Amino acid sequence: VSTQSTWGAFRAAKMAEPQIEEITDDIDEVEEFQDETIVERIVALQEMFPDPVRNAVSGTVGLTNWLVKSTFKFAGKTLWVVSTSALLLVLPALYEHEMDQMVEMQEKQQASQQQQLLYGAPGVPAIPR
C-alpha cells in the first residue's frame, strides 16, 4: 500500500468530520429557537402577512366559529323539543295500548276458563249423566 493513497484517505476522512465550530453554531441556533415563545412566533407571523389577508382569515374563522356554535345550539334545542314531545305525546298512547292488550288477554283467559267449566277440560271425556 502506498503512502500517498493512505495519506489521501486520511485527508478525505478528516475533511468529512464536522468541525467543532460548526457544531457549536448549530447548538446556538437551536437555543435561539427554544428561547422564542409561541406568542412571539405568532406576532412575527403578523408582520409576514398583510392586513387584508389577516382580516380575511380572522373574519372567516369568526364566521366559522359562530356557525358551529349556532348549529350546536339549534340542534340541542331541537333535540329537547322532540324528546319532551315524545315523552308527553307518545308514551301515554303506548301505555294505553299496553293496557288494552292486557284487558283483552284477561277477557280471553276468563272466556277460556268459563268454557272449561261448561264443557270440561279439553281431552278429558265428558261424564255421562
Side-chain angles (χ1 to χ4, degrees), residues 35-88:
D35 292 341
E36 196 173 41
T37 64
I38 302 245
V39 174
E40 291 172 343
R41 288 184 181 209
I42 291 173
V43 169
L45 282 175
Q46 283 183 348
E47 298 169 359
M48 186 180 213
F49 296 106
D51 282 338
V53 172
R54 289 196 317 249
N55 291 338
V57 169
S58 175
T60 304
V61 168
L63 178 65
T64 304
N65 186 20
W66 178 80
L67 282 173
V68 168
K69 282 183 180 179
S70 297
T71 302
F72 277 108
K73 193 179 288 187
F74 177 75
K77 288 179 180 181
T78 303
L79 181 64
W80 172 255
V81 168
V82 168
S83 61
T84 54
S85 297
L87 284 173
L88 295 175

Side-chain angles (χ1 to χ4, degrees), residues 103-125:
V103 168
E104 285 179 20
M105 284 181 61
Q106 285 177 350
E107 288 174 354
K108 285 182 184 178
Q109 205 172 31
Q110 284 178 353
S112 172
Q113 285 175 355
Q114 285 177 354
Q115 198 174 30
Q116 283 180 358
L117 286 175
L118 290 176
Y119 302 116
V124 176

